Amino acid sequence: MPSVVLKPGREKSLHRLHPWIFSGAIKSIEGSPHPGATIEVLSSRGEWLASGAYSPDSQIPIRIWTFDSAEAVSPSFFLMRIHRAIEARARLKIKERCSAFRLIYAESDGIPGLIADQYGEFLVCQFLSAGVEFQKDLIVRAFREILPLKGIFERSDADVRRKEGLPLTTGILSGEPPPELIEIHEDGIRFLVDVYKGHKTGFYLDQRDSRSKAAAWGNGCDVLNVFSYTGGFGIGCLKAGAHRVIHIDSSKTALELIHRHVELNDLNPEKSICLGGDAFQVLRKFRDENHRFDLIILDPPKFIESKSRIEKGARGYKDINMLAIQLLNPYGILFTYSCSGHMESGLFQKIVSDAALDAGREAQVIFRFSQPADHPVALNFPESSYLKGLMLRVF
Ligand code: SAH
């Protein structure tokens, strides 16, 4: 087997079971491994540390498969890891609440680069590293062996594939093609998911807990659902008895599904208003026209793509939060989020606090959010933590 030898002292992160090796830690590569090949990792003194997948084009050229020298990267390896992830999800009793959830969350579930989301009888996968790309057949076989699925669909069209030197691709990996829209249910609400062209694997599964919490506060409220995507938060609020919900998103196709969701859940279409456009502009216009709301949801896309962009992204978060705070009635509620991994939760709270200050309003944190239990953060891999949210009372 080919091997990689680390520079002196660079074995430390492996002793803490961190699954990434950066290019700067590598002294030499022995043999001529192809992209995705399994490679042994040795310390500068020649001790065996781990085996991992090789990705020559990546800034992270090795992602660790196992720290156990007795464990081979074989069909049973993937069966065991997938089985463990499924068993962990089963214990969450998540199926009692919904028919769509994350089954495999990459490094956190011991399969670096693999995302697998279940939508009813279909699995939608993203192979985001050279290692899982190379092992795709074994992984698909393992899923087929363990899960009674109608089909497995690939959505490997995420930009991060380029960093691994992989082309973007989508298509059927096994079984039947999924229907154009898959109907799922979440906390008693029916949604349609476009796994072919929708964002991520089709639905923002990571906001399930927040959607349910916001809905519980929606009764009787005038709600502004900003960055609505296909309506998630707002449909829940309408079902809970919101007086009216205005959804804002820049994606026309996402907004079209909101109308379908209103129909599917027997809601009053007059109470659901969809506005296409840039959220910053719409909120400024609402402010200038003196519109007011009782409950506002701000669930923006990732404003910070890399560490060097933190400052610019922070300005975006501050502006949109200031506008939302200005639009709230006294005692109003704001659900505000950041899904940027580079934004720490402490900094996020500070930015929201600055936004309230600039808006001239007092506010209190009454609840905090992070990722739901099917998107766990492995302790040895804090990089898997990205989602944070605050529920505020604004005076
Ligand atoms: N809250 C949603 C998920 C939101 S994801 C849910 O629960 O399903 C972020 C959304 O912001 C995406 O739908 C994207 O189309 C939209 N978006 C991105 N930039 C935008 C902008 N400048 N103005 C309005 N919407 C935007």
Side-chain angles (χ1 to χ4, degrees), residues 19 58 85 87 109 128 138 144 146 168 192 233 274 304 307 317 332 370 378 386:
S58 174
E87 185 58 33
D109 282 307
L128 303 178
L138 286 192
R144 284 177 42 184
I146 300 178
L168 307 194
L192 300 169
F233 280 89
C274 293
I304 306 173
K307 254 190 189 157
Y317 285 110
S370 62
Y386 65 97

Side-chain angles (χ1 to χ4, degrees), residues 7 29-31 50 86 123 134 194 226 230 243 301 359 369-370:
K7 290 179 183 165
I29 291 187
E30 318 287 333
I86 292 174
L123 198 65
F134 180 64
D194 177 354
V226 191
T230 59
H243 174 244
F369 299 93
S370 62

Side-chain angles (χ1 to χ4, degrees), residues 186 191 199 202-208 211 225-234 248-252 254 275-282 297-303 320 337 339:
E186 177 186 274
F191 290 110
H199 298 179
F203 201 66
Y204 289 88
L205 296 170
D206 54 0
Q207 286 288 39
R208 178 190 313 116
R211 282 190 286 266
N225 183 21
V226 191
F227 305 103
S228 64
Y229 189 49
T230 59
F233 280 89
I248 304 171
D249 204 280
S250 54
S251 159
K252 279 222 171 68
L275 295 180
D278 173 52
F280 289 84
Q281 285 180 11
V282 178
I297 298 122
L298 283 186
D299 186 20
K302 206 198 269 184
F303 285 160
I320 200 77
Y337 299 90
C339 62

Side-chain angles (χ1 to χ4, degrees), residues 35-36 54-60 63 112-115 124-137 139-140 153-171 173 200-201 302 305:
Y54 182 53
S55 181
D57 294 330
S58 174
Q59 285 179 359
I60 308 166
R63 285 171 204 250
L114 179 67
I115 300 288
V124 184
C125 299
Q126 295 184 309
F127 294 81
L128 303 178
S129 67
V132 286
E133 175 70 20
F134 180 64
Q135 306 286 352
K136 198 181 279 177
D137 286 349
I139 291 168
V140 170
F153 189 71
E154 177 173 18
R155 275 296 301 274
S156 295
D157 53 350
D159 270 340
V160 289
R161 292 250 308 180
R162 296 189 212 276
K163 295 187 181 171
E164 295 279 307
L166 300 169
L168 307 194
T169 173
T170 67
L173 294 173
K200 306 221 274 187
T201 60
K302 206 198 269 184
E305 288 292 344

